[in-house]
């Protein structure tokens, strides 16, 4: 790796979230391999512990970012942006400063962007139409996102590089605990698009009294979901944990029989890899894209539990999920299945496979 080259990772803010965790992990994995990494943010409140070898710069505003980008040597720096607001600012830098910029998209555009506010949708459309016109390089985490960007906005200079498990996450837990209850775990932001409303309504309609549900995460929908649990007398079945550290999440997954992803839309579904790594059976909505693509693609040999896409028909989605919950068992993966899953994770979704591909794409103009 060229140690004179610097990878400038740009994100609006580093609060806790799935995309933010991927962002931090990517920065640290590139740094671990000898890359010079700088994190650029608009806000100074950083919720992650960042390796001290990585510099964090708070530019405070779009003007601060432009000033920073203007000073960079284009031959020795790349600016790689995460999230739509950062993508727009990075794109403007590419147009007006000829910076060496690369965008990234982690959300299913067709359905995921529909849930944004009108002004946000307009800015997103402007960003990616302009990205198409300039032919700026863009990284996506699934082929579905790539196809959406091409069909919706005409973007073509796109590279699909999936998310990955960290190097120290490539081992299975030693023994899967046998539970008295059937334990299901949800991990994610408590926002409408993540579909916890679907999950709780299906649980309410289910006749399976052996289910215990962990809901890990926080967000604007938390109070609404908690009120639903109280009103429908589900408190004995549902445990809201709030936001947890990665180690705490893994502890819950290691004791769970099932991981559930009831989303209206997903870009990749990193938690699917984490669930499989912890020997959880996967229950998922057949939404665009992530979990469906993973479970019908590289993990099609694993028995999983898909239900109808709630973005198409919410009522049917609830009914199908409720029926799945009624018929869940306590079976665990066989030793052969575990070894095959681990092999797929190692060959397709390990940092040692993904990061070199990303470095090559970012480093070449």
């Amino acid at each position: 790796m060229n140690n004179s080259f610097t990878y400038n990772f740009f994100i609006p803010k580093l609060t806790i979230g799935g995309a933010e965790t991927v962002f931090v992990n990517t920065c640290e994995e590139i740094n671990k391999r000898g890359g010079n990494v700088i994190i650029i943010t608009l806000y100074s409140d950083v919720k992650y512990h960042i390796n001290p070898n990585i510099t964090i710069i708070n530019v405070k505003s779009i003007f601060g970012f432009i000033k920073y980008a203007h000073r960079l040597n284009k031959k020795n720096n790349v600016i790689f942006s995460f999230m739509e607001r950062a993508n727009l600012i990075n794109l403007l830098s590419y147009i007006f400063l000829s910076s060496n910029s690369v965008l990234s998209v982690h959300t299913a555009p067709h359905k995921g962007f529909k849930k944004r506010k009108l002004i946000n949708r307009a800015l997103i459309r402007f960003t990616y139409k302009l990205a198409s016109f300039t032919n700026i390089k863009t990284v996506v985490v699934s082929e579905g996102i790539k196809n959406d960007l091409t069909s919706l906005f005409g973007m073509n200079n796109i590279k699909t590089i999936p998310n990955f498990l960290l190097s120290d996450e490539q081992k299975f837990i030693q023994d899967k605990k046998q539970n008295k209850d059937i334990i299901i775990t949800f991990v994610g932001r408590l926002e409408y698009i993540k579909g916890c409303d679907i999950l709780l309504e299906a649980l309410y309609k289910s006749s399976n009294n052996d289910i215990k549900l962990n809901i890990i995460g926080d967000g604007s929908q938390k109070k609404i979901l908690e009120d639903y649990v109280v009103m429908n007398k589900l408190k004995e079945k549902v445990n809201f944990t709030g936001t947890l550290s990665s180690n705490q999440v893994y502890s819950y997954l290691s004791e769970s029989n099932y991981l559930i992803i009831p989303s209206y839309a997903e870009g990749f579904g990193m938690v699917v890899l984490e669930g499989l790594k912890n020997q959880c059976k996967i229950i998922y909505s057949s939404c665009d894209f992530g979990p469906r693509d993973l479970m019908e693609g590289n993990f099609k040999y694993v028995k999983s539990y898909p239900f109808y896409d709630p973005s198409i028909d919410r009522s049917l989605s609830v009914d199908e999920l409720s029926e799945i919950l009624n018929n869940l068992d306590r079976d665990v993966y066989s030793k052969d299945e575990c070894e095959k899953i681990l092999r797929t994770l190692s060959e397709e979704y390990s940092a040692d496979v993904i990061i070199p591909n990303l470095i090559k794409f970012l480093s070449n103009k």
Side-chain angles (χ1 to χ4, degrees), residues 115 189-197 220-221 263-264 310 314:
K115 304 301 179 182
R189 292 178 291 116
L190 301 188
E191 303 295 344
Y192 176 79
I193 199 168
K194 293 299 183 178
C196 268
D197 60 310
S220 64
Q221 296 287 302
S263 304
Y264 289 86
R314 184 185 183 282

Side-chain angles (χ1 to χ4, degrees), residues 1-20:
M1 183 179 294
N2 181 359
N3 287 326
S4 66
F5 197 88
T6 298
Y7 302 85
N8 298 272
F9 280 74
F10 178 36
I11 194 167
K13 55 185 177 180
L14 268 179
T15 51
I16 301 298
E20 290 85 351

